[in-house]
Amino acid sequence: MARRLSASQLRSQLRRAEQKAKQAVNKINHAIRRRNSQVNQAVNKYNQAVRAHNSHVRARRRRITNELAKLSRHSTATRYVVLRTSVQTMHAAYARLEQRADAQPLGAEYGYVLDLSEKETANSLEVMNALLGIQPDSEEKLERPEDLTLRDELRKISADLDDRWRGAVFSLDARNPDAARHFCTSAREVITQILDLKAPDGQVLSTLPNCDRTDQGKPTRRAKIRYFLHEKGMLDDALEEFAEQDMENIVQLFNVLNEGTHGSAGKFDLQMLSSIRGRVEHGILFLSSLVN
């Protein structure tokens, strides 16, 4: 037989049911408010990151424009003609890459590499101007990557590369009468080993049988760069051209270094050598970004 409830008991049960329902609603509303707060924080954090990134992009593009203008004002300079031509060719390749990205947005996987391409272009212009005795603006000096960042990237490829790089940096000492050449030799070997270790000739020829080859029948540096981009699913002619011109610019910088072998640290002072070191560091980071 069903239990009969008094009016007082019924009201009490109704109050408890209403209280439970209210608690459930409050719990849901609290979860919604918490979720909305988390979403708003994430959106704000993302927007801050976007604003910071855009600010850095604008600063680097302004730096490129300023350095290019300074170089243009010294168009009659007769020193370092080959390197200067390389810098201008690299800038033209960057402009084409930028136009390519603006005309048809590339995938998110290109973002980091495109960001580095701006740094590479700005750095190459700044070092060129510095070699000509044109000082950078105080607020636009060449950015130096964290030493551990570069070393971590090199260790991902080979522990020997880290050792070679540390040897290159160690050579940049005022007490070393041949600092420029020693740095050049070690740094060039780092780049060569990255190309050879991550793009063995046999694998490149197997993957890209119609690639460019040297007179000895081996894949060219550009072919190896194309192989890297193919393996990362980032094969793009404009990016390939920029990466090739970036490496060529560093090679031409090495040639300048090889000529500067007189004096306590070559014919370049330590400030100039430090700027060159920064340029080469970023170049190796850029190349590593294509293989890691």
Side-chain angles (χ1 to χ4, degrees):
M1 181 176 179
R3 180 187 173 194
R4 298 184 62 182
L5 298 176
S6 65
S8 175
Q9 290 173 322
L10 181 60
R11 285 194 297 272
S12 178
Q13 285 191 0
L14 288 173
R15 282 196 297 271
R16 285 197 296 270
E18 289 174 353
Q19 189 176 34
K20 287 182 179 179
K22 186 176 181 180
Q23 289 174 344
V25 170
N26 287 340
K27 187 175 181 180
I28 292 172
N29 288 337
H30 176 73
I32 292 172
R33 286 194 297 271
R34 183 179 179 185
R35 175 59 180 169
N36 288 340
S37 176
Q38 291 174 337
V39 169
N40 288 335
Q41 288 177 358
V43 169
N44 289 337
K45 187 175 181 180
Y46 172 78
N47 288 337
Q48 288 175 355
V50 169
R51 286 194 294 271
H53 173 74
N54 290 339
S55 177
H56 287 311
V57 168
R58 287 192 297 271
R60 281 196 296 272
R61 291 185 177 180
R62 183 173 61 250
R63 182 171 156 229
I64 289 173
T65 301
N66 291 345
E67 294 294 336
L68 192 62
K70 285 188 286 187
L71 184 59
S72 297
R73 288 196 294 269
H74 292 75
S75 59
T76 58
T78 57
R79 290 180 297 162
Y80 311 119
V81 175
V82 176
L83 178 62
R84 182 190 184 113
T85 300
S86 172
V87 168
Q88 293 169 329
T89 302
M90 178 179 167
H91 176 262
Y94 164 73
R96 288 192 292 271
L97 177 59
E98 189 179 42
Q99 291 170 0
R100 163 75 176 85
D102 288 342
Q104 184 179 347
L106 299 169
E109 66 273 18
Y110 289 82
Y112 180 59
V113 173
L114 293 175
D115 185 53
L116 288 180
S117 72
E118 288 182 340
K119 291 182 182 179
E120 290 293 273
T121 305
N123 290 345
S124 69
L125 285 162
E126 182 179 311
V127 169
M128 182 71 254
N129 281 330
L131 285 168
L132 293 173
I134 309 168
Q135 294 303 313
D137 298 331
S138 59
E139 71 277 10
E140 296 182 350
K141 290 184 178 179
L142 187 147
E143 303 171 32
R144 283 282 306 281
E146 293 290 335
D147 187 54
L148 288 179
T149 300
L150 177 57
R151 291 181 58 187
D152 285 345
E153 290 301 309
L154 292 176
R155 279 194 293 267
K156 290 178 185 177
I157 301 171
S158 168
D160 180 58
L161 290 177
D162 180 30
D163 293 338
R164 286 185 178 275
W165 177 250
R166 285 190 291 118
V169 172
F170 182 77
S171 69
L172 292 177
D173 190 305
R175 294 166 295 183
N176 180 1
D178 211 4
R181 188 176 62 82
H182 286 171
F183 175 76
C184 163
T185 300
S186 296
R188 186 195 294 266
E189 186 60 28
V190 168
I191 292 175
T192 299
Q193 283 205 22
I194 291 175
L195 292 169
D196 290 343
L197 288 172
K198 301 302 289 187
D201 292 349
Q203 287 184 221
V204 176
L205 294 173
S206 175
T207 304
L208 305 171
N210 297 319
C211 69
D212 296 339
R213 306 190 188 201
T214 66
D215 292 340
Q216 292 74 38
K218 296 182 177 182
T220 63
R221 180 183 63 208
R222 181 167 190 148
K224 294 197 172 195
I225 289 172
R226 187 172 184 82
Y227 172 80
F228 294 150
L229 297 177
H230 176 275
E231 292 300 292
K232 288 182 75 72
M234 295 169 58
L235 198 54
D236 180 88
D237 289 345
L239 179 55
E240 177 188 329
E241 173 66 14
F242 176 81
E244 167 63 16
Q245 294 305 328
D246 187 23
M247 292 300 104
E248 177 61 22
N249 181 250
I250 292 176
V251 168
Q252 294 305 329
L253 183 60
F254 286 156
N255 291 339
V256 169
L257 279 173
N258 271 331
E259 296 170 359
T261 56
H262 308 291
S264 62
K267 65 181 179 181
F268 310 112
D269 60 27
L270 287 183
Q271 183 176 353
M272 186 68 246
L273 287 173
S274 179
S275 295
I276 291 172
R277 171 187 168 181
R279 167 71 184 104
V280 175
E281 283 175 330
H282 276 292
I284 293 174
L285 273 177
F286 179 79
L287 183 60
S288 298
S289 74
L290 303 182
V291 304
N292 285 333

